[in-house]
Each structure stands twice: as structure tokens, then as C-alpha cells.
Amino acid sequence: MPELPEVETVVRLIRPDLEGRRIEDARVGWARTLGGVSRPAFERGVVGARVARVWRRGKYIVLDLERGGGAAGCVVGHLRMTGRMHVEPRDSDPGAYVRVSLDLDDGRVFRFVDVRKFGRFVYAARPEDVFAELGPEPLGAEFTAGWLRAGLRRKRRMLKPLLLDQAFLAGLGNIYVDEALHRARLHPLRLSNRVPGPASDRLHAAIRSTLAAAIEHEGSSFDAFYRTPEGQPGGYQDQFQVYGRDGRPCRTCGRTIRRIVVGQRGTHLCTRCQPAPRRSAGPAL
DNA sequence: AGCTACTCCTGGTAGC
DNA sequence: TGCTACCAGGAGTAGC
């Protein structure tokens, strides 16, 4: 699924194609993609505006808009499961799943494509009107080892759902939580307030190094759906240690990778590298 | 506070 | 072959 590294890859690829472009027209193929904003309100918001800046916050993609040099709201996109963003020639085949199209003043078209329709592309006055409360950026200055120690201590939650919670930390999803926990040798059912300081520091380093390595590889692809915006598969899926590797040997110790379900989410781990918590609500592993 | 269940969606796949 | 049933899952919401 698109998580921080995939979203960052998208932003880097579409930014040079969008910044400075004026939006000449807009078409909406699936109204719910607009997240409650009416079609007329969306069109009023974007048509005639210029894209001033393309940036990322957590898994959100933001297009700052301006008119006559002044700020004029923004579009906040979220790819959710299967969303993609492309800037293409207008006469190219749009495919069956285009939810929003923006005609650009260079003759090309921006397309928000989303097979499963979970993605969002919302016009708002300010991005904060769309974001939920978001935790710090895992690759930003605010996310320090000390911050994570304190954050884990003040919560009493299992690590897996806590790290998936965007209000705690913004940008991790199912894949990179599993990968980071394995790298930090921490069991996903461990309670956050029982993680010792040194283990918390390992987790901090693991989150940053996992995300940085994934960005370097332009994210991960594994189904036909998950591609970089250029249509090329990302490369990080070849580095997965646990995600999707259940039944296969751990690359570190050889034990068979297991898959459990935590909060309705498939969760992959090595029970030797990531020892079970001593006393917790989780099943004995 | 934190957990579970449910919802939104559809292509892919397993089972028959 | 062709049908049906179920699955994946980010995030929001409701209920306990």
C-alpha cells in the first residue's frame, strides 16, 4: 500500500510536472473521491488556479494553489490503498479508473487514478481542514530517540497498532511497521510502556533506516497495482525481511516467518528475532 | 484509554 | 470453464 516512501516517491515525480502549472479544467469521475466537497465547489476551487507547491505530510499529498500570486486554498490527496497520480499527455489512454482529471496549461493532464475508490482528492482552504491530527514526521527533526522513548512510555498500547496510528507518528503503514519492528527485534504485541529505553532507541533507528532505504528504492511494489508513477515497480519489496514472507525462512536466523492478525491487519514476524512479550493479552507465540 | 468490529471498494484468487 | 465466497487494508466511526 502506498506508505510514506511510496508517497514521497509520487511527490518527487509529479512535483516538477505540476509546480507552476495553471489548471484549465477539471473533471470528476467519482464524486466520493472529493470527500464531501461538492463538484461545483471543487471546480470553483481548482479551475483557473496555479499549483504553487507540491508537498507531503505523512501519507497526504498537498497541492498549494494560488491566484494572482496570492494563496487560494489547496488540494489534499490521499492514495489509501490503490491510488495513483500521473501527469500524462492528454491524448493518452486514461484507463478505466480515473477519478479526477485536471487539464494543465502545458497541454498535459493530471490524473488521480484509484481502482478501489478509497483514495481522496479534496479541495480545502487549508490542509489542516483535511488532515486528522497527525504525529511527527518520522524523518523530521522532531522525531528523536528521546521523543519516541517518552511517547512509548506515556501510552499503554501494543506496538503494532500504535505505530499504525497516524496521530502518534505520521506515515507508517502495515508494511513498514512490520519491517521496522523486525529490524528493531521487537514483537508487534509488546506493550509500548514496557519497551526498555535501549529497545526504544533501536526502534527509532529502525523506523528511520527502513523508511530511508525504501525511499532510496522508490518504494515497494508487489501487485500489478503498486507501481511508481512512471509505471515502473519500486524496488524495496526485494528487501522485505518479514512482510508477505510468512512460511519462508527469516533472513536473519532461518526460523519460519509467521503471520498473525492484529487489529484486523496481517502482521508478519520472526518469533526468534522478535521474542514474545512475557505477559500480555496476545496469544502465546 | 484502548480495544474490537464494521464500513468503504474491487480485482485477484481459492474452492468447487 | 464458470460460478461464488472471501480476502487485502488506510482510516473513520461506533460501541464496549
Side-chain angles (χ1 to χ4, degrees), chain A residues 129-202:
Chain A
D129 300 339
V130 179
F131 293 163
E133 298 255 322
L134 288 180
E137 284 290 321
L139 296 176
E142 192 190 337
F143 180 64
T144 61
W147 183 93
L148 185 62
R149 279 195 188 204
L152 295 185
R153 211 179 308 125
R154 75 165 188 271
K155 298 283 183 182
R156 203 169 293 155
R157 297 178 62 182
M158 294 184 290
L159 290 176
K160 170 89 183 199
L162 178 61
L163 294 174
L164 284 175
D165 185 346
Q166 304 299 298
F168 181 73
L169 188 62
L172 293 179
N174 209 37
I175 296 171
Y176 296 106
V177 168
D178 284 5
E179 291 298 313
L181 285 172
H182 179 266
R183 200 179 276 222
R185 307 195 305 277
L186 283 165
H187 196 286
L189 300 180
R190 285 282 289 267
L191 286 177
S192 61
N193 60 327
R194 293 202 197 139
V195 174
S200 174
D201 295 349
R202 283 205 311 271

Side-chain angles (χ1 to χ4, degrees), chain A residues 183-228:
Chain A
R183 200 179 276 222
R185 307 195 305 277
L186 283 165
H187 196 286
L189 300 180
R190 285 282 289 267
L191 286 177
S192 61
N193 60 327
R194 293 202 197 139
V195 174
S200 174
D201 295 349
R202 283 205 311 271
L203 180 57
H204 173 263
I207 290 169
R208 290 176 78 114
S209 62
T210 302
L211 293 177
I215 289 172
E216 250 181 70
H217 286 84
E218 299 187 299
S220 308
S221 309
F222 32 94
D223 289 338
F225 292 139
Y226 304 109
R227 301 278 152 154
T228 69

Side-chain angles (χ1 to χ4, degrees), chain A residues 64-102:
Chain A
D64 285 338
L65 303 179
E66 61 181 26
R67 291 174 191 273
C74 63
V75 173
V76 179
H78 196 301
L79 304 175
R80 295 284 180 97
M81 313 292 299
T82 55
R84 292 156 64 170
M85 293 183 183
H86 306 282
V87 178
E88 306 169 305
R90 268 188 218 177
D91 59 6
S92 61
D93 177 11
Y97 309 110
V98 177
R99 307 308 178 195
V100 179
S101 308
L102 304 177

